[in-house]
Amino acid sequence: MTNPLVEREWLTGDELTAAGSHALADLETKVRAQRRKVTAGISDEEYLATVGILRQMARNLAG
């Protein structure tokens, strides 16, 4: 499962390489930007309520 990370030289054993750390930092930046875009105009309370509802819906589907 980690083969793609090893092939990209992002992971050696259980440790991130310098390249892996850089890729992770880039990904975190992109995720934060996307999260800001998706949640623009939504209060923290609304976001938390929505997440709670979605979690309950997932539990309902799981059985």
Side-chain angles (χ1 to χ4, degrees):
M1 185 145 154
T2 59
N3 286 344
L5 301 177
V6 172
E7 290 171 6
R8 291 181 179 190
E9 298 181 355
W10 290 354
L11 189 66
T12 300
D14 291 337
E15 299 292 322
L16 278 177
T17 64
S21 293
H22 182 71
L24 178 59
D26 287 346
L27 179 60
E28 289 171 338
T29 299
K30 290 175 184 177
V31 168
R32 277 193 298 275
Q34 187 64 29
R35 188 173 291 151
R36 278 193 302 274
K37 183 177 178 180
V38 168
T39 59
I42 298 172
S43 71
D44 290 343
E45 293 81 17
E46 291 169 320
Y47 176 81
L48 292 174
T50 300
V51 168
I53 291 166
L54 292 172
R55 283 185 179 149
Q56 183 60 52
M57 292 171 75
R59 284 192 296 271
N60 292 346
L61 289 174

